[in-house]
Amino acid sequence: MFRDARPRSRAGPGLVSGSPDLKMHFRSVKDLIALPLHRFGFLVAGLPWGIGRALLGCLGAVAKAGYFVPGSHLRRTVENFCRATGRSDPWQVYSRMVDNVVEVALHYAHLYRYGRSGLLSQTVIDPTMEAEYQRLSGGERGLIILVPHCAGAVLSSARLSTFCRTVLLVREPRQPDRCRLMLEYVRKLGPEYILVRNTPPATIMRNIVRALKDRKVVVGTTDLVHPEPDAVETRAFGQRIYSPAWPARISARLGAPILPGYIHMEGSQIRLVVDEGYVEPDVLPSTQRWISSFERRFRQFPSD
């Protein structure tokens, strides 16, 4: 639903682009199920929390059963991910991943029906984020936080927007009905936002620069991408990948620190953690630094 500020990107949602075994395509599925899931979620949110979780858990059980279907693409993808990260527990990784998605779905359902008050009690700013913000927020520019495009990433912006002035980069869906629905959810989250799919690239960059000059925190959720004009070659999990260069270019131009972030889920709780912020004048090592941070966190918390 949400991506980074790469307006011309056509990246697939694979774990590592260029590796066919680590690729999964969800766009057509999301277009098909978005509205029915929204309606179902609205009904679920009207039930007591435990009952709602149980109903969504039934859907989760079906998703878990898909792991055991012969020739399952889900199973092959998770097994390849675990192999790349040196793990031997693909079922456990996948099972917890589904549990996380169930919790996130329940959060979205309650967000739409009741607003963000309940979500705020379940999202946490980690001490690492508090410390880095205090260390770096006294400069003349804002901060760039980059997090992987994962289930709880966008929800964390609700809590972050109460901690600092936050601007969320949102890559809106192509499908019009899903786009309108997505914007309703984003507005309920609370932060400012910049739409990046249908806006001219120069306008997007001007808006990001303006926010950083106003000392705001710009948050981008990013995937690993195919070769593109504004991508640089990096490495993750022992493979060559291509990653968006815009954060490094803007950071170097303005002196705005980059904070590599990660969203860790502990049951229904969503926690934003960050590594040490930095300003690096060279685009390639700057980009590799946040990619390496993502890799380290995925090895530590593979189900997130």
Side-chain angles (χ1 to χ4, degrees):
M1 187 180 289
F2 307 92
R3 295 279 182 88
D4 65 298
R6 290 176 288 109
R8 292 197 177 94
S9 173
R10 296 294 179 267
L15 290 168
V16 179
S17 294
S19 172
D21 290 332
L22 289 176
K23 239 198 236 183
M24 298 182 69
H25 296 279
F26 295 114
R27 183 177 298 136
S28 60
V29 174
K30 288 190 284 189
D31 287 345
L32 180 65
I33 68 175
L35 188 56
L37 281 182
H38 163 71
R39 290 170 175 165
F40 177 68
F42 188 80
L43 294 175
V44 165
L47 300 172
W49 184 273
I51 296 176
R53 178 184 281 113
L55 283 176
L56 289 176
C58 291
L59 295 180
V62 173
K64 290 181 181 181
Y67 180 88
F68 298 100
V69 173
S72 169
H73 188 61
L74 287 169
R75 181 170 185 165
R76 186 169 65 251
T77 299
V78 177
E79 287 177 346
N80 285 331
F81 172 76
C82 287
R83 198 155 41 238
T85 55
R87 301 184 65 94
S88 58
D89 56 346
W91 162 245
Q92 289 81 359
V93 169
Y94 177 70
S95 179
R96 185 176 176 191
M97 189 183 303
V98 173
D99 290 341
N100 287 346
V101 171
V102 168
E103 295 293 345
V104 165
L106 195 55
H107 281 313
Y108 272 115
H110 280 255
L111 169 69
Y112 191 87
R113 185 157 189 156
Y114 302 114
R116 68 175 187 169
S117 58
L119 178 62
L120 292 177
S121 68
Q122 292 294 321
T123 47
V124 177
I125 301 297
D126 192 76
T128 56
M129 175 61 198
E130 294 179 353
E132 284 301 288
Y133 183 76
Q134 290 175 5
R135 182 174 74 88
L136 298 170
S137 61
E140 296 182 357
R141 298 289 185 257
L143 310 176
I144 300 171
I145 298 180
L146 301 174
V147 296
H149 183 205
C150 57
V154 174
L155 289 175
S156 68
S157 68
R159 179 67 181 88
L160 185 63
S161 67
T162 68
F163 177 76
C164 58
R165 294 187 301 159
T166 303
V167 179
L168 182 66
L169 305 182
V170 179
R171 192 163 185 250
E172 65 274 29
R174 290 190 180 92
Q175 209 275 340
D177 290 339
R178 192 169 138 234
C179 180
R180 285 191 291 270
L181 182 61
M182 183 270 296
L183 289 178
E184 290 185 49
Y185 281 92
V186 172
R187 293 184 184 111
K188 290 177 181 290
L189 282 170
E192 298 178 47
Y193 61 89
I194 297 173
L195 299 180
V196 302
R197 167 164 269 152
N198 298 316
T199 306
T203 301
I204 295 169
M205 293 306 158
R206 280 196 300 270
N207 290 337
I208 293 174
V209 168
R210 186 179 298 116
L212 291 171
K213 287 184 175 180
D214 199 25
R215 300 174 64 185
K216 296 178 181 178
V217 174
V218 174
V219 181
T221 62
T222 183
D223 292 322
L224 308 178
V225 301
H226 294 291
E228 295 177 352
D230 192 38
V232 294
E233 183 179 314
T234 55
R235 294 193 67 80
F237 304 110
Q239 299 184 42
R240 181 181 65 185
I241 61 171
Y242 293 87
S243 306
W246 71 262
R249 296 191 196 285
I250 292 180
S251 172
R253 173 185 165 190
L254 298 181
I258 293 174
L259 275 72
Y262 194 78
I263 307 301
H264 176 50
M265 293 196 62
E266 300 166 333
S268 62
Q269 187 180 85
I270 300 171
R271 180 179 296 271
L272 171 61
V273 300
V274 300
D275 283 339
E276 184 178 7
Y278 64 91
V279 177
E280 165 61 59
D282 193 320
V283 169
L284 182 55
S286 178
T287 305
Q288 182 63 61
R289 185 162 172 175
W290 60 261
I291 287 293
S292 297
S293 172
F294 285 8
E295 178 180 354
R296 183 168 59 255
R297 295 292 186 179
F298 273 123
R299 289 182 185 275
Q300 184 179 7
F301 304 114
S303 297
D304 291 332

